[in-house]
Amino acid sequence: GPTRKMPLTASAMDFFQLFVPDNVLKNMVVQTNMYAKKYQERFGSDDAWIDVTLTEMKAFLGYMISTSIHHCESVLSIWSSGFYSNKSIALIMTQSRFEKILKYFHIVAFRSSQTTHSLYKIQPFLDSLQNGFDSAFRPSQAQVLHEPLIDEDPVFIATCTERELRKRKKRKFSLWVRQCSSTGFICQIYVHLKEGSGADGLDALKNKPQLHSMVAKSLCQNASGKNYIIFTGPSITSLNLFEEFEKQEIYCCGLLSTRKSDCTGLPPSMLNNSATPQSRGQYRIRMKGNMSLICWYNKGHFRFLTNAYSPVQQGVIIKRKSGEIPCPLAVEAFAAHLSYICKYDDKYSKYFISHKPNKTWQQVFWFAISIAINNAYILYKMSEAYHVTRYSRAQFGERLVKELLGLEDTSPTH
């Protein structure tokens, strides 16, 4: 749960600024102004440009965040006269001023000579965000490694033409997270860039389990010695990775796939389906030290690799139509934690910012901001302030937008 107690009068902005404080916003102001100056020195002066202020930067973020609540194809729809226009917030800043800030917006204006990382334009922000996640929340023992749903807005996909879809560039990165399965709080983000067709590119990542292993190690670098139980999907699950994690006192439970997983070191007899028909709930187990390989049958063979649960402990899967199906406890635990993450995706994935810029670092930035807002709402729901106001996720987002735009008084109320 939360590591600090927030006051009853805490606003949406107070929770958001646990992760994106004023000093981070002030840095955006400085870097944006520096980039604008550099750009104009190179391409000619821009008489319409005036240095951005902290108030304007907050308003700029507010406009972008508003697209996560009222989905529209373009953030500029706010100033239009169409269906997605929003007169109540359009008056805070003119469209031309917003477009100028959008043109020059930067988090790191200059590339230093020592910089080799492709995400250098956003890495300081990601590091700051990670520090905020670590200091504001203490996760539960059970956590999940997965790719959250960050696809295009389904409303836009349903209404746009095939030509518009072809014009939309595919994402040049994959985003992985380590997520607390009890609350949905995202504890850590890992961004993997498609940097050409090299061995560590995104194309290779989809096919090579060792690269998924690299992602898992990056996501769990702060988890050693804490006795966490990490749930993984087939692409990450492997005997070598789990044994390596066990040495760091990180325990695992993962679904295994003969097609997607690295099955090195596992007995072939457990990877082949038995020829004799089996009844639902039957399972076979093979052990090596603390590691158990479970093959469980339920209208198909499901394999699990775990060192977090004893294979002899019994569990049960409850189906609405067929009732209870017996299974090892590891299978029940995996199903329970995975279903919670599915509920999280259903509830929160639709609140990702709709703006889709062409530049990869900006795409990563807006996804990271969206995750920060979802985390802020989770902390808000676990605070005493929630019992006073009880905002839904949409209402929380609307309050945050108004506070960023200066339309709400965030000072303590009586």
Side-chain angles (χ1 to χ4, degrees):
T3 57
R4 68 189 76 177
K5 187 176 181 180
M6 298 292 281
L8 290 171
T9 54
S11 64
M13 186 74 162
D14 292 331
F15 287 96
F16 176 66
Q17 292 213 304
L18 291 173
F19 311 124
V20 188
D22 269 351
N23 65 315
V24 171
L25 298 175
K26 286 173 183 173
N27 181 64
M28 292 178 194
V29 170
V30 171
Q31 296 294 328
T32 299
N33 289 333
M34 285 170 64
Y35 180 78
K37 184 179 178 182
K38 170 187 166 186
Y39 185 94
Q40 291 172 49
E41 285 172 358
R42 185 173 179 183
F43 298 107
S45 62
D46 184 349
D47 295 333
W49 173 253
I50 304 167
D51 278 358
V52 69
T53 64
L54 179 60
T55 302
E56 286 181 313
M57 185 57 72
K58 286 182 178 180
F60 172 76
L61 290 178
Y63 283 123
M64 287 297 194
I65 292 167
S66 71
T67 67
S68 67
I69 308 151
H70 310 288
H71 288 285
C72 50
E73 183 186 346
S74 170
V75 65
L76 301 180
S77 302
I78 291 168
W79 291 274
S80 71
S81 55
F83 179 77
Y84 290 110
S85 64
N86 193 331
K87 299 283 192 297
S88 62
I89 66 174
L91 299 174
I92 302 299
M93 184 185 289
T94 64
Q95 181 179 339
S96 59
R97 179 59 176 166
F98 174 85
E99 289 182 279
K100 285 292 178 191
I101 299 173
L102 182 60
K103 177 181 178 180
Y104 296 124
F105 176 68
H106 264 70
I107 295 164
V108 176
F110 302 100
R111 183 171 191 158
S112 66
S113 55
Q114 294 85 18
T115 303
T116 55
H117 201 287
S118 301
L119 282 173
Y120 77 94
K121 285 194 172 184
I122 193 179
Q123 196 60 52
F125 174 76
L126 294 178
D127 292 341
S128 170
L129 202 61
Q130 187 59 57
N131 290 334
F133 291 168
D134 291 341
S135 63
F137 184 81
R138 186 176 57 256
S140 64
Q141 185 183 28
Q143 296 166 38
V144 181
L145 305 186
H146 71 118
E147 289 185 271
L149 290 175
I150 55 173
D151 294 325
E152 299 280 6
D153 175 40
V155 175
F156 170 68
I157 292 298
T159 56
C160 71
T161 63
E162 283 188 23
R163 184 182 175 190
E164 286 174 323
L165 271 177
R166 283 196 299 270
K167 282 169 67 180
R168 307 283 276 197
K169 292 184 178 179
K170 290 185 177 179
R171 284 190 286 114
K172 293 183 179 179
F173 65 93
S174 74
L175 182 70
W176 295 75
V177 300
R178 176 163 58 88
Q179 189 168 12
C180 170
S181 61
S182 299
T183 59
F185 189 95
I186 289 177
C187 309
Q188 191 155 355
I189 300 171
Y190 179 80
V191 181
H192 189 93
L193 281 181
K194 181 180 179 180
E195 298 169 337
S197 55
D200 61 343
L202 184 57
D203 292 333
L205 180 67
K206 290 178 180 174
N207 303 315
K208 295 189 176 180
Q210 65 265 33
L211 289 172
H212 284 104
S213 174
M214 179 198 72
V215 170
K217 290 174 188 175
S218 298
L219 284 170
C220 295
Q221 59 189 354
N222 300 328
S224 60
K226 297 181 180 177
N227 289 310
Y228 288 153
I229 298 175
I230 303 294
F231 292 88
T232 63
S235 59
I236 292 178
T237 303
S238 79
L239 179 63
N240 291 334
L241 178 68
F242 283 13
E243 286 179 337
E244 194 173 327
F245 275 170
E246 187 174 358
K247 293 173 185 174
Q248 302 172 35
E249 296 181 36
I250 302 172
Y251 301 94
C252 305
C253 181
L255 181 64
L256 197 69
S257 163
T258 52
R259 189 167 55 89
K260 293 182 181 179
S261 305
D262 178 5
C263 297
T264 306
L266 298 175
S269 61
M270 291 292 286
L271 303 177
N272 299 321
N273 297 337
S274 60
T276 55
Q278 291 182 290
S279 59
R280 295 175 72 179
Q282 280 191 320
Y283 58 89
R284 294 178 291 147
I285 297 168
R286 285 286 293 275
M287 293 189 69
K288 177 188 175 185
N290 292 327
M291 200 71 65
S292 306
L293 176 56
I294 301 167
C295 182
W296 177 67
Y297 184 81
N298 178 25
K299 291 187 177 179
H301 291 88
F302 295 89
R303 294 172 179 84
F304 298 86
L305 190 64
T306 182
N307 57 2
Y309 296 93
S310 166
V312 297
Q313 283 187 287
Q314 291 295 306
V316 67
I317 298 288
I318 300 173
K319 296 287 185 182
R320 191 175 296 169
K321 291 183 179 178
S322 51
E324 295 184 351
I325 305 166
C327 66
L329 183 62
V331 178
E332 180 187 342
F334 185 91
H337 292 293
L338 206 67
S339 67
Y340 192 96
I341 296 304
C342 290
K343 288 177 185 175
Y344 172 91
D345 283 341
D346 292 342
K347 184 173 183 178
Y348 292 104
S349 63
K350 61 187 174 191
Y351 294 109
F352 277 77
I353 292 168
S354 294
H355 178 65
K356 300 289 188 293
N358 287 330
K359 292 179 180 176
T360 299
W361 74 265
Q362 290 187 3
Q363 293 175 24
V364 174
F365 175 76
W366 296 119
F367 283 135
I369 286 285
S370 301
I371 287 172
I373 298 169
N374 284 341
N375 276 355
Y377 180 68
I378 289 168
L379 290 188
Y380 160 72
K381 282 198 76 175
M382 289 190 283
S383 74
E384 293 180 358
Y386 177 70
H387 300 291
V388 176
T389 49
R390 289 190 176 272
Y391 294 131
S392 66
R393 173 61 183 83
Q395 290 171 327
F396 183 85
E398 287 173 355
R399 296 285 299 187
L400 178 59
V401 168
K402 288 180 178 178
E403 287 164 24
L404 284 165
L405 291 166
L407 294 172
E408 290 285 343
D409 180 18
T410 58
S411 60
T413 55
H414 296 292

